[in-house]
Amino acid sequence: MTDQVNSTRVDAAALDAFCRAIFVGCGADEATANAATDAMMHGSRHGIDSHGVRLLDHYVTALEGGRIKKQPVIRFAAQLGAVGTLDADAAHGALAAYEGMHHAMEFAGKFGIGAVAIRNSSHFGPAGAFATEAAKAGFIGLAFCNSDSFVRLHDGAMRFHGTNPISCAVPLAGERPWLLDMATSAIPYNRVQLYKSLGLSLPDGTASDSRGIDVADPALADMLAPLGAAFGFKGAGLAGLVEIFSAVLSGATLSFDIAPMPGPDFSTPRDLGAFVMAINPEAFISRTDFDDGMRRYVDTLRNSPAREGQKVLAPGDREWAEADLRAIKGIPIDPVTEQSFRTLSGRFGVGLPFA
Amino acid sequence: MTDQVNSTRVDAAALDAFCRAIFVGCGADEATANAATDAMMHGSRHGIDSHGVRLLDHYVTALEGGRIKKQPVIRFAAQLGAVGTLDADAAHGALAAYEGMHHAMEFAGKFGIGAVAIRNSSHFGPAGAFATEAAKAGFIGLAFCNSDSFVRLHDGAMRFHGTNPISCAVPLAGERPWLLDMATSAIPYNRVQLYKSLGLSLPDGTASDSRGIDVADPALADMLAPLGAAFGFKGAGLAGLVEIFSAVLSGATLSFDIAPMPGPDFSTPRDLGAFVMAINPEAFISRTDFDDGMRRYVDTLRNSPAREGQKVLAPGDREWAEADLRAIKGIPIDPVTEQSFRTLSGRFGVGLPFA
């Protein structure tokens, strides 16, 4: 929701078709085009614009450079019972994560739970897209990933972890899922850039200089703080959990060893890691009891007393409301992204999704 | 580490034997005596005194009152493949959690992963005890639980979640595990009590009055804040994840419906929920590659640049160092706990572990 100022509004279906056609135009296979588009559109539909269609131009550069393979062969490097490790063959991260989650859901159907670690992957976009994929089919979904490092440790003065997100989606009968999708850093890096462009001071305990000392001026920010401010050992610990599941268990490169996302090298695969899990509630409890429990939990939450002038929301409520708004008003495309679309349109002979 | 002032130091083995004998003396079966003692001793050995042997007197009251069953029959209410739900029959929470974790480890041996949800349980003590149980056997362990509510939602003005901890233990070859054990509240409630007794102001964004407004005076604190301060929606979301896994999936009572821990009713079981999971790294990657990955991760972390005058620690490092110290100096017993031990000693004819 950070890119709405001076933005063109575009119909979601037209935007979706444009992204797919550009991916196919640059030589990506259909599975890659579909997965990468679905993940970006999850971001763009729900107001997570940092992980929305603004990434199209970046992904095309990575596909053309060879960092991401246009026609990868994803296979299990290990598989036992309800789990396995996928070698993603430098696939688009969204393709690897959707495929991993589909395997996890199949395992969960048989064994009640399924988990897939993924290595040799790449940037997968919004973690919530993959957790939601599980929830749509009635499973609880979890998705983690690591990425190039931006976040210091508690009392640390080094970019150590990626923003290492945790996403969890839980089915809610009769409506869209309960959906948590959070970075384990205090704030996302694009928030620092936004504050800089708006000339605003950063909130306390969110970003540091190279010595690990908190800064208020976004221009001086060299790294992000872990979630928790004075209790940042908790955020750093959660980032570590995500790192271990995504990178150690899968055999992927650790965040502090990953080449930076913005380049300059767009030809070498970056070997990001991820971890996805699906849980079948019906292996634990009847579907009716599960649905009733979630209903009582979420209804009590939404109707609970709030601080004066505030309203309490369940994780995901803000995103679903934004999705409803964007379904009517269209999806905002910031000026930089709009310009990149014009260039891509010309290069690949694909009609623009806006006038 | 909050109860060391004016404390008697007691040898760990003597303390352990005293607790076991008191439990047996009050009629608890051997499994309950062992599990409850092991969990409390995990707390007392590692400096987590809020969840250490100070709980002995409370547990005896609950066992004698009937809130906790002295000879429970724990059984699977549901079981499929790698998962199941245990009905704990109002057992001591530590017995239920250890038994759940042992089942999860057995499932993980067969299927690569195992998860057990637990209902009709009771206070289980330090979550880290159960995660560590898995790590000792080479598994990654996870443990969650819910409890009576103390923590508001982001922008909320109601005690909604318990302190709903997340614990994760990961085996580290040649040393004790990487061990995260954190409440999803900003601080634990006993920290508020400590600040009150010391006459100190609370850190920002940690506790609120009944309207959800932050307070600095611990005497005015009516509820705790979720982890994250201005970004408390993340801490509240994590608490929700723990609540859903521990209580909705298991069919236990939701935190806001649980009777308060301090009583006055000590006869009615409280139906707390928990969730434990074990993962077999060797189902994902060779043990050597896993161990090498953890080694590189933890060594890089411990040697990473720190803020001036600080040192970066891995989760668990502080606890293991405290355990080493206490192995030599003994375990501190605060005056209130010491007095309760004298009373229990007299009632059950068990010799005191101190002079």
Coordinates of all heavy atoms in Angstrom, one line a residue, chain B residues 6 19 28 46 62 124 144-145 147 152 155 194-195 203 227 231 235 274 277 290 296 310-311 321-322 326 338 342:
Chain B
N6 N 18.9 -12.5 47.7 CA 18.6 -13.1 49.0 C 18.2 -14.6 48.9 O 17.3 -15.1 49.6 CB 17.4 -12.4 49.7 CG 17.7 -10.9 49.8 OD1 18.8 -10.6 50.2 ND2 16.7 -10.1 49.6
C19 N 12.0 -32.7 44.8 CA 10.8 -32.5 44.1 C 10.1 -33.8 43.8 O 8.9 -34.0 43.9 CB 11.1 -31.7 42.8 SG 11.6 -30.1 43.1
A28 N 1.0 -38.5 43.5 CA 1.1 -38.5 42.0 C 1.9 -39.8 41.6 O 2.7 -40.3 42.3 CB 1.9 -37.3 41.6
H46 N 18.5 -23.7 34.1 CA 18.9 -22.8 33.0 C 18.6 -21.3 33.3 O 18.6 -20.5 32.4 CB 18.2 -23.2 31.7 CG 18.7 -24.5 31.2 ND1 17.9 -25.7 31.3 CD2 19.9 -25.0 30.7 CE1 18.6 -26.7 30.9 NE2 19.8 -26.3 30.5
A62 N -2.5 -28.0 43.2 CA -3.4 -28.4 42.0 C -3.6 -29.9 42.0 O -4.7 -30.4 41.7 CB -2.8 -27.9 40.7
F124 N 2.4 -26.5 31.7 CA 3.5 -27.4 31.4 C 4.9 -26.9 31.8 O 5.8 -27.7 31.6 CB 3.4 -28.0 30.0 CG 3.8 -27.2 28.8 CD1 4.5 -26.0 28.9 CD2 3.5 -27.6 27.5 CE1 4.9 -25.3 27.8 CE2 3.9 -26.9 26.4 CZ 4.6 -25.8 26.5
F144 N 4.6 -25.5 21.6 CA 3.8 -24.4 21.8 C 2.8 -24.7 22.9 O 2.5 -25.9 23.1 CB 2.9 -24.1 20.6 CG 3.6 -23.9 19.2 CD1 2.9 -24.1 18.0 CD2 4.9 -23.4 19.2 CE1 3.5 -23.8 16.8 CE2 5.5 -23.2 17.9 CZ 4.8 -23.4 16.7
C145 N 2.2 -23.7 23.6 CA 1.1 -24.0 24.4 C 0.3 -22.7 24.5 O 0.8 -21.6 24.3 CB 1.4 -24.5 25.8 SG 2.1 -23.2 26.9
S147 N -2.5 -20.6 27.3 CA -2.7 -20.5 28.8 C -3.7 -19.4 29.1 O -4.1 -18.8 28.1 CB -1.3 -20.2 29.5 OG -0.8 -19.0 28.9
R152 N -2.8 -8.5 25.5 CA -3.8 -7.9 24.6 C -3.4 -8.1 23.2 O -2.3 -8.5 22.9 CB -3.9 -6.4 25.0 CG -2.6 -5.6 24.7 CD -2.9 -4.1 24.8 NE -1.7 -3.3 24.7 CZ -1.0 -3.0 23.6 NH1 -1.5 -3.4 22.4 NH2 0.1 -2.3 23.6
D155 N -3.6 -3.0 19.3 CA -4.7 -2.0 19.4 C -5.9 -2.6 20.3 O -7.0 -2.0 20.2 CB -5.2 -1.6 18.1 CG -4.2 -0.6 17.4 OD1 -3.5 0.1 18.1 OD2 -4.2 -0.5 16.2
L194 N 8.6 -8.2 39.0 CA 10.0 -7.9 39.4 C 10.2 -6.4 39.4 O 10.7 -5.8 40.4 CB 11.0 -8.6 38.5 CG 12.5 -8.3 38.8 CD1 12.9 -8.9 40.1 CD2 13.4 -8.8 37.6
Y195 N 9.8 -5.7 38.3 CA 10.0 -4.2 38.2 C 9.2 -3.6 39.4 O 9.7 -2.6 39.9 CB 9.5 -3.7 36.9 CG 10.5 -3.8 35.8 CD1 11.0 -5.1 35.3 CD2 11.1 -2.7 35.2 CE1 11.9 -5.2 34.3 CE2 12.0 -2.8 34.2 CZ 12.4 -4.0 33.7 OH 13.4 -4.1 32.8
P203 N 9.8 -0.9 30.6 CA 10.2 -0.4 29.3 C 9.0 0.0 28.4 O 7.9 -0.5 28.7 CB 10.9 -1.6 28.6 CG 11.2 -2.5 29.8 CD 10.2 -2.3 30.8
L227 N 4.5 -8.9 21.6 CA 5.8 -8.6 21.1 C 5.8 -7.7 19.9 O 4.9 -7.9 19.0 CB 6.5 -9.9 20.6 CG 7.9 -9.8 19.9 CD1 8.9 -9.2 20.9 CD2 8.3 -11.1 19.3
F231 N 4.8 -2.5 16.3 CA 4.5 -3.5 15.3 C 3.9 -4.7 16.0 O 4.2 -5.9 15.6 CB 5.8 -3.9 14.5 CG 6.5 -2.6 14.0 CD1 7.5 -2.0 14.7 CD2 6.1 -2.0 12.8 CE1 8.1 -0.8 14.2 CE2 6.6 -0.9 12.3 CZ 7.7 -0.3 13.0
G235 N 3.6 -9.7 16.9 CA 3.5 -10.5 18.1 C 2.1 -11.1 18.3 O 2.0 -12.3 18.7
A274 N -1.8 -27.7 24.0 CA -0.4 -27.6 23.6 C -0.2 -28.3 22.2 O -1.1 -28.9 21.7 CB 0.5 -28.3 24.6
M277 N 6.1 -30.8 18.0 CA 6.5 -31.3 16.7 C 7.9 -31.8 16.7 O 8.8 -31.1 17.4 CB 6.3 -30.2 15.6 CG 6.5 -30.7 14.2 SD 6.5 -29.3 13.0 CE 4.7 -28.9 13.1
F290 N 23.8 -31.5 7.4 CA 23.0 -30.7 8.4 C 23.9 -30.2 9.5 O 23.9 -29.0 9.8 CB 22.0 -31.6 9.0 CG 21.1 -30.9 10.0 CD1 20.1 -30.1 9.6 CD2 21.3 -31.1 11.4 CE1 19.3 -29.4 10.5 CE2 20.5 -30.4 12.3 CZ 19.5 -29.5 11.9
R296 N 28.4 -23.8 10.6 CA 28.7 -22.6 9.9 C 27.8 -21.5 10.3 O 28.2 -20.3 10.6 CB 28.6 -22.7 8.4 CG 28.8 -21.4 7.6 CD 29.4 -21.5 6.2 NE 29.4 -20.2 5.6 CZ 30.2 -19.2 5.9 NH1 31.2 -19.4 6.8 NH2 30.1 -18.0 5.3
Q310 N 29.1 -4.8 23.2 CA 28.1 -5.9 23.3 C 28.7 -7.2 22.7 O 29.8 -7.1 22.1 CB 26.8 -5.6 22.5 CG 26.1 -4.4 23.0 CD 25.5 -4.5 24.4 OE1 25.3 -5.6 24.8 NE2 25.4 -3.4 25.1
K311 N 28.1 -8.3 22.9 CA 28.5 -9.6 22.3 C 27.2 -10.2 21.7 O 26.1 -10.2 22.3 CB 29.1 -10.5 23.4 CG 29.8 -11.7 22.9 CD 30.6 -12.4 23.9 CE 30.8 -13.9 23.5 NZ 31.2 -14.1 22.1
A321 N 25.2 -21.1 29.6 CA 26.2 -20.5 30.4 C 25.7 -20.5 31.9 O 26.5 -20.8 32.8 CB 26.6 -19.1 29.9
E322 N 24.4 -20.1 32.0 CA 23.9 -20.0 33.4 C 23.8 -21.4 34.0 O 24.1 -21.6 35.2 CB 22.5 -19.4 33.3 CG 21.7 -19.3 34.6 CD 22.4 -18.2 35.6 OE1 23.1 -17.4 35.1 OE2 22.1 -18.3 36.8
R326 N 25.4 -22.6 37.5 CA 24.6 -23.2 38.6 C 25.0 -24.6 38.9 O 24.8 -25.1 40.0 CB 23.1 -23.2 38.1 CG 22.5 -21.8 38.1 CD 21.1 -21.7 37.8 NE 20.6 -20.3 37.9 CZ 19.3 -20.0 38.2 NH1 18.4 -20.9 38.3 NH2 19.0 -18.7 38.3
E338 N 11.7 -21.1 49.4 CA 12.3 -21.8 50.5 C 11.3 -22.2 51.6 O 11.3 -23.3 52.1 CB 13.5 -21.0 51.1 CG 14.3 -21.7 52.1 CD 15.4 -20.8 52.7 OE1 15.9 -20.0 52.0 OE2 15.7 -21.0 53.9
R342 N 9.9 -25.8 53.2 CA 9.9 -26.2 54.6 C 8.6 -26.8 54.9 O 8.5 -27.9 55.6 CB 10.2 -25.1 55.5 CG 11.7 -24.6 55.3 CD 12.1 -23.5 56.4 NE 13.4 -23.0 56.1 CZ 14.6 -23.6 56.4 NH1 14.6 -24.7 57.0 NH2 15.7 -23.0 56.0

